[in-house]
């Protein structure tokens, strides 16, 4: 009997094994926390071990180095507003589609009573738009791999975007380099499960009394810097702008996402969190650009408008460089060093570090949904507010004495 992995840290859920199986014996199934893992139907398995060989996450190291790195922003105001960063993926995707090609990427879709992130194919403008939004949960790319191969075999140009592990899985499944395939991965923190996100949606619905019809992460309604804003649409026609603020209990999902508490185990052991990238192009937000290149910003005499979103673009292969070159006339860009980009993006240096309470949080969500999580977060907010009130009435000299006493105790 074939065993695909020893523990959860050895499987990223990319679905390469599902797609490579010649007898359809493998499927993705959610575990107790909703993370997708391959399951083998031993009655159909012929033990060819193709599934073991195709696993890029376990078998292949990424040792490449980037060819170039940029800070970039599309010039089209309309195009940049529909994207959550600097609009570079939109520009690349439209280039492929305008040449008769197809684009694959993740879309957050309404399914039944909840939502699911799935990889879909876009061939026109309407189909592309859902791919341009942020999705802070893991997409299921199982069907997209075979569909992508079919498009390539027909001679069509394809841009396939996803997390680094999904790109590595796709390439392992394809087994060869297709001339007309360009891949783009993202600077990825890690991925929560669809189940975790849907538990959060249930909690929101419970407290608003209406069903969530649409949810969009990272609205730019108030600028790129406020990247914790979401836009919601309810089935009763109401809309809501949800600002994920540290002082608002509705922040609980993003709070734990940004604290790295909701991810699958493999994310904490990610082999792609560095210079060695499996994709032709890496895209992300250029966080921290003010520190190293403040002179590139509009307010300092440069050309990049920070309020609209600034992308980092890392070119990893010649093929990626060629596609990027084809859209340069549509973007404002500044070349920089990889290390400049990595300075503000921890996941270009190392994997996300697993918090000590991660398993406790996931277990709590499994047992109680977001009710208990939200209550604990509200208590945390209340405690912070209490401390701030106390500080207003206690002289600063007291806090200096208290700090000095603590330091003396440490020295003993």
């Amino acid at each position: 009997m074939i065993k695909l992995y020893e523990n959860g840290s050895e499987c990223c859920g990319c679905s390469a094994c599902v797609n490579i199986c010649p007898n359809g014996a493998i499927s993705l199934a959610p575990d107790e926390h909703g993370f997708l893992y391959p399951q083998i139907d031993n009655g159909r398995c012929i033990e060819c071990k193709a599934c073991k060989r195709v696993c890029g996450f376990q078998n292949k190291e990424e040792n490449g180095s980037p060819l170039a790195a940029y800070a970039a922003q599309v010039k089209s105001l309309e195009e940049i507003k529909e994207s959550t960063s600097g609009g570079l993926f939109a520009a690349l995707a439209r280039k492929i589609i305008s040449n008769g090609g197809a684009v694959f990427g993740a879309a957050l879709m309404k399914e039944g009573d909840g939502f699911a992130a799935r990889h879909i194919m876009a061939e026109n403008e309407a189909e592309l738009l859902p791919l341009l939004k942020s999705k802070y949960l893991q997409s299921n790319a199982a069907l997209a791999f075979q569909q992508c191969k079919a498009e390539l075999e027909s001679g069509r140009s394809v841009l396939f975007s996803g997390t680094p592990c999904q790109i590595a899985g796709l390439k392992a499944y394809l087994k060869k380099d297709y001339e007309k395939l360009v891949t783009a991965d993202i600077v990825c923190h890690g991925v929560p499960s669809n189940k975790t996100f849907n538990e959060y949606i249930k909690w929101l619905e419970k407290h608003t009394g209406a069903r969530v019809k649409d949810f969009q992460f990272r609205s730019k309604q108030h600028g790129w810097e406020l990247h914790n804003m979401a836009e919601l649409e309810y089935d009763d026609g109401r809309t809501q702008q949800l600002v994920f603020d540290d002082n608002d209990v509705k922040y609980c999902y993003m709070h734990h996402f940004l604290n790295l508490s909701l991810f699958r185990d493999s994310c904490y052991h990610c082999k792609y969190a560095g210079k060695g990238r499996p994709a032709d192009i890496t895209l992300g937000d250029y966080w921290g650009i003010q520190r190293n290149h403040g002179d590139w910003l509009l307010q300092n005499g440069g050309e990049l408008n920070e309020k609209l979103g600034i992308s980092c673009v890392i070119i990893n292969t010649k093929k990626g460089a060629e596609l990027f070159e084809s859209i340069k006339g549509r973007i404002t860009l500044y070349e920089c060093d990889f290390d400049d980009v990595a300075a503000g993006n921890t996941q270009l240096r190392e994997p996300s570090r697993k918090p000590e309470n991660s398993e406790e949080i996931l277990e709590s969500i499994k047992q109680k949904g977001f009710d208990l999580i939200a209550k604990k977060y509200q208590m945390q907010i209340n405690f912070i507010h209490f401390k701030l009130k106390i500080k207003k009435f206690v002289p600063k000299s007291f806090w200096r004495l208290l700090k000095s006493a603590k330091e003396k105790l440490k020295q003993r």
Side-chain angles (χ1 to χ4, degrees):
M1 186 172 67
I2 294 175
K3 192 172 185 179
L4 290 174
Y5 55 91
E6 294 296 329
N7 54 65
S9 67
E10 294 181 352
C11 175
C12 62
C14 73
S15 81
C17 56
V18 176
N19 285 278
I20 203 71
C21 180
N23 219 33
I26 307 176
S27 60
L28 288 179
D31 71 356
E32 59 183 347
H33 300 303
F35 295 112
L36 298 175
Y37 287 92
Q39 290 190 350
I40 300 177
D41 180 348
N42 291 312
R44 302 182 68 177
C45 177
I46 58 175
E47 299 200 20
C48 64
K49 297 185 180 179
C51 53
K52 292 289 288 183
R53 293 190 296 270
V54 81
C55 184
F57 196 76
Q58 293 182 27
N59 300 327
K60 185 182 178 184
E61 294 299 321
E62 299 290 344
N63 299 314
S65 293
L67 303 180
Y70 301 89
Q73 189 176 66
V74 295
K75 295 177 181 178
S76 166
L77 186 61
E78 181 180 346
E79 196 166 44
I80 200 170
K81 282 187 174 181
E82 69 192 8
S83 303
T84 51
S85 186
L88 269 294
F89 174 68
L92 294 169
R94 288 189 169 107
K95 181 64 177 180
I96 294 292
I97 289 175
S98 69
N99 291 333
V103 177
F104 289 83
L108 185 61
M109 307 165 69
K110 183 71 174 174
E111 289 192 1
D113 293 332
F115 290 85
R118 296 190 181 278
H119 260 63
I120 62 173
M121 183 176 79
E123 300 178 272
N124 55 53
E125 184 67 21
E127 294 171 347
L128 177 62
L129 290 178
L131 276 58
L132 306 183
K133 306 300 181 182
S134 291
K135 282 75 57 175
Y136 291 133
L137 54 158
Q138 186 173 28
S139 68
N140 186 338
L143 298 177
F145 281 19
Q146 292 186 21
Q147 192 176 11
C148 175
K149 184 176 182 179
E151 296 299 322
L152 291 168
E153 291 288 347
S154 73
R156 199 174 190 187
S157 295
V158 171
L159 172 63
F160 195 103
S161 67
T163 60
C165 58
Q166 288 174 330
I167 300 301
L170 172 69
K171 288 190 169 184
Y173 162 71
L174 293 175
K175 295 184 181 179
K176 69 175 185 178
D177 182 26
Y178 285 83
E179 181 183 350
K180 291 190 175 184
L181 171 66
V182 181
T183 55
D185 65 18
I186 60 171
V187 181
C188 179
H189 290 71
V191 287
S193 70
N194 285 249
K195 180 180 179 181
T196 295
F197 179 68
N198 281 318
E199 288 296 337
Y200 171 65
I201 292 295
K202 287 179 186 177
W203 180 83
L204 280 178
E205 292 175 339
K206 180 179 176 181
H207 287 79
T208 57
R211 291 292 184 113
V212 177
K213 181 180 178 181
D214 187 37
F215 189 105
Q216 291 188 19
F217 287 102
R218 291 191 61 183
S219 165
K220 282 186 181 176
Q221 187 72 21
H222 295 285
W224 178 59
E225 302 98 322
L226 194 59
H227 56 276
N228 289 333
M229 173 174 277
E231 289 199 18
L232 286 74
E233 181 183 352
Y234 295 95
D235 59 3
D236 61 5
R238 283 186 295 154
T239 59
Q240 180 184 17
Q241 289 181 352
L242 182 62
V243 180
F244 293 118
D245 186 282
D246 279 324
N247 295 315
D248 190 339
V249 70
K250 292 190 288 293
Y251 185 80
C252 53
Y253 183 85
M254 286 303 297
H255 169 76
H256 289 298
F257 177 88
L258 294 173
N259 281 355
L260 317 177
S261 306
L262 304 178
F263 305 155
R264 64 183 296 138
D265 279 345
S266 60
C267 298
Y268 303 114
H269 302 83
C270 181
K271 61 196 290 182
Y272 310 111
K275 288 186 176 181
R277 314 290 297 186
D280 299 301
I281 300 176
T282 296
L283 301 172
D285 290 282
Y286 201 134
W287 300 123
I289 192 172
Q290 307 92 335
R291 290 192 297 272
N292 294 326
H293 300 293
D295 57 316
W296 293 351
L297 302 178
L298 195 63
Q299 65 265 32
N300 300 323
E303 297 182 65
L304 298 174
N305 189 337
E306 193 174 14
K307 292 183 178 181
L308 295 177
I310 301 171
S311 293
C312 65
V313 182
I314 301 166
I315 306 300
N316 303 308
T317 68
K318 182 180 177 182
K319 192 188 292 186
E322 290 172 351
L323 179 59
F324 185 63
E325 185 69 29
S326 71
I327 65 164
K328 274 189 176 180
R330 298 177 56 194
I331 59 179
T332 300
L333 62 91
Y334 291 86
E335 189 166 5
C336 58
D337 294 328
F338 173 87
D339 291 340
D340 292 340
V341 180
N345 283 284
T346 305
Q347 286 69 33
L348 287 174
R349 306 193 305 271
E350 62 183 14
S352 293
R353 297 184 182 183
K354 187 175 184 178
E356 292 182 2
N357 65 345
S358 175
E359 293 179 8
E360 177 187 340
I361 288 169
L362 289 175
E363 185 63 26
S364 178
I365 294 172
K366 171 190 165 187
Q367 298 291 340
K368 302 286 186 179
F370 263 80
D371 284 337
L372 184 58
I373 293 292
K375 286 179 183 178
K376 287 183 176 180
Y377 188 56
Q378 184 64 64
M379 290 173 63
Q380 183 179 331
I381 293 171
N382 293 341
F383 180 67
I384 291 171
H385 286 177
F386 175 74
K387 284 175 65 177
L388 291 173
K389 288 180 180 179
I390 291 294
K391 281 188 175 182
K392 285 183 179 180
F393 295 101
V394 177
K396 291 182 180 179
S397 57
F398 172 80
W399 300 112
R400 286 196 293 268
L401 286 171
L402 183 61
K403 183 179 179 181
S404 177
K406 286 182 178 179
E407 289 175 351
K408 287 179 180 178
L409 285 172
K410 287 181 180 179
Q411 294 172 0
R412 290 183 179 179

